Amino acid sequence: ISKFITKSVLFISMSMAAILPAAADTYTDLRDITNKLITEDKDNLSIILNNAARGDTQNQILAGVINQAGVAVKQDYKQAMNWYMKAAFERDVKAQYLIGFLHDNGFGVKQDHDVGFEWFKQAADQGDPWGQIAVSRGYYKGLGVKRDYAKAIEWAEKGAEQDHPVSQLLLALYYSDEKTGLQDLKKA
């Protein structure tokens, strides 16, 4: 059984490289949707940008993604940040997560894990599973916050309670990791 657990943990650890940092899945899905919308009809770009300029939060996020990914425009992280900030002002969790992502990775801004963590935490506090994953990762790795394995598990559990598969994988990883001091192979 222990060989199986060791192999499973190794597989999970290797899978984490594909999943983390903090799940770009939200961004990737939005980028793909936006790219499809604009490819299908070039007028959709101006519709999205006009609606974003009028204050529509969802279109502000899409405008941010358009600029971050360079979909039909020149890639511009600062403009992406401007759009995300407008949506975040309205407490949009996707925007908060994406601002955290830009800061955490240094895209268009000086890399700052502390600022990234604060934005991830805002999204996590509102129940966003990707924000919860990012906060969990921050506590686990000590990125933007003091390392705290118990809090890493706590935040991963919040995402797992929403049946989020990445949170469930993180829990398995954390509970199988001896260095956490919280190893529990039954929970892993």
Side-chain angles (χ1 to χ4, degrees):
I1 294 176
S2 67
K3 285 183 181 179
F4 172 75
I5 292 172
T6 302
K7 286 182 180 181
S8 297
V9 170
L10 179 61
F11 172 75
I12 290 168
S13 297
M14 290 176 7
S15 298
M16 286 297 126
I19 296 169
L20 296 176
D25 198 37
T26 300
Y27 165 75
T28 303
D29 289 345
L30 289 169
R31 182 201 61 212
D32 292 348
I33 290 166
T34 305
N35 192 34
K36 185 176 180 180
L37 281 171
I38 293 170
T39 302
E40 287 177 357
D41 186 347
K42 299 290 182 205
D43 290 337
N44 286 336
L45 176 62
S46 62
I47 292 168
I48 291 168
L49 294 176
N50 287 334
N51 287 337
R54 287 190 196 108
D56 181 79
T57 305
Q58 295 307 307
N59 280 284
Q60 289 169 340
I61 292 167
L62 293 177
V65 170
I66 287 167
N67 282 277
Q68 183 177 342
V71 175
V73 299
K74 185 177 182 237
Q75 187 176 44
D76 186 344
Y77 290 116
K78 289 183 182 188
Q79 187 60 37
M81 180 70 81
N82 289 336
W83 286 118
Y84 295 151
M85 290 296 288
K86 290 176 187 210
F89 183 73
E90 299 298 326
R91 297 187 40 81
D92 186 274
V93 296
K94 285 185 212 81
Q96 292 167 340
Y97 171 83
L98 290 165
I99 291 168
F101 185 82
L102 292 177
H103 280 285
D104 201 48
N105 291 285
F107 294 138
V109 295
K110 183 177 184 255
Q111 186 175 33
D112 189 332
H113 297 299
D114 294 343
V115 173
F117 182 86
E118 289 304 317
W119 281 103
F120 290 143
K121 182 86 167 51
Q122 287 183 46
D125 284 341
Q126 293 185 76
D128 179 60
W130 289 113
Q132 292 166 344
I133 290 165
V135 167
S136 175
R137 175 181 163 264
Y139 278 119
Y140 184 77
K141 293 187 171 216
L143 294 173
V145 68
K146 184 180 179 201
R147 179 174 280 160
D148 186 326
Y149 295 125
K151 286 186 180 180
I153 288 172
E154 176 187 328
W155 281 100
E157 285 175 340
K158 289 180 184 202
E161 288 168 4
Q162 297 181 58
D163 293 325
H164 199 280
V166 176
S167 293
Q168 294 166 344
L169 284 173
L170 284 176
L171 278 176
L173 176 68
Y174 296 164
Y175 280 127
S176 63
D177 187 351
E178 290 178 8
K179 73 181 173 199
T180 66
L182 302 166
Q183 187 178 34
D184 186 337
L185 297 180
K186 287 182 181 178
K187 288 184 179 179

